[in-house]
């Protein structure tokens, strides 16, 4: 069983920055990254990175502001979030997917971490 442990959420004012981390208990075969969810909007793909870091995928809403990276030696993926907006407020959940970057293809979930951006 693979565990994904997240850290780095919190509260920040608009324009600020946060960095999320997700450590996997074992190295994996699929893309890793984050979804985020709110009661109003449901779940949205934020950013994912391929196992060897060659490709990164971003939602249009975060492109140019968020950067995903990884340290394969540490089985860790990072999400640097800059220029945060109140609309970025959500629970961010780390995930590992098989094949397609979509909720239906998630094999493992992290516990989720709250990100709150105030105006």
């Amino acid at each position: 069983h693979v565990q994904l442990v997240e850290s780095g959420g919190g509260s920040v004012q608009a324009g600020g920055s946060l960095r999320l981390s997700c450590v996997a208990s074992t190295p994996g075969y699929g893309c890793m990254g984050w979804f985020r969810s709110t009661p109003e909007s449901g779940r949205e793909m934020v950013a994912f990175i391929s196992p060897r870091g060659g490709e990164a995928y971003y939602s249009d809403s975060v492109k140019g502001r968020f950067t995903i990276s990884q340290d394969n030696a540490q089985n860790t993926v990072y999400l640097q979030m800059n220029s945060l907006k109140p609309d970025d407020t959500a629970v961010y959940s780390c995930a590992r997917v098989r094949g397609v970057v979509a909720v239906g293809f998630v094999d493992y979930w992290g516990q989720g971490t709250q990100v709150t951006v105030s105006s």
Side-chain angles (χ1 to χ4, degrees), residues 30-32 48-57 70 72:
C31 294
M32 280 184 61
F48 272 76
I49 192 165
S50 60
R52 288 177 173 77
E55 295 182 12
Y57 312 93
Q70 64 185 18
N72 285 332

Side-chain angles (χ1 to χ4, degrees), residues 57 73 89 96 109:
Y57 312 93
T89 296
R96 177 180 283 170
W109 288 99

Side-chain angles (χ1 to χ4, degrees), residues 31-68:
C31 294
M32 280 184 61
W34 278 267
F35 292 93
R36 67 185 181 187
S37 60
T38 66
E40 298 80 15
S41 303
R43 188 167 277 158
E44 173 192 24
M45 189 278 286
V46 178
F48 272 76
I49 192 165
S50 60
R52 288 177 173 77
E55 295 182 12
Y57 312 93
Y58 298 95
S59 70
D60 288 343
S61 61
V62 307
K63 202 171 293 183
R65 299 187 297 121
F66 291 12
T67 303
I68 191 167

Side-chain angles (χ1 to χ4, degrees), residues 54-111:
E55 295 182 12
Y57 312 93
Y58 298 95
S59 70
D60 288 343
S61 61
V62 307
K63 202 171 293 183
R65 299 187 297 121
F66 291 12
T67 303
I68 191 167
S69 61
Q70 64 185 18
D71 181 343
N72 285 332
Q74 302 295 325
N75 298 330
T76 302
V77 176
Y78 302 99
L79 184 67
Q80 179 66 43
M81 304 185 293
N82 297 331
S83 302
L84 283 161
K85 306 174 181 179
D87 284 350
D88 295 318
T89 296
V91 174
Y92 285 68
S93 298
C94 179
R96 177 180 283 170
V97 300
R98 62 187 185 282
V100 179
V101 178
V103 171
F105 291 84
V106 173
D107 278 342
Y108 303 103
W109 288 99
Q111 79 275 17

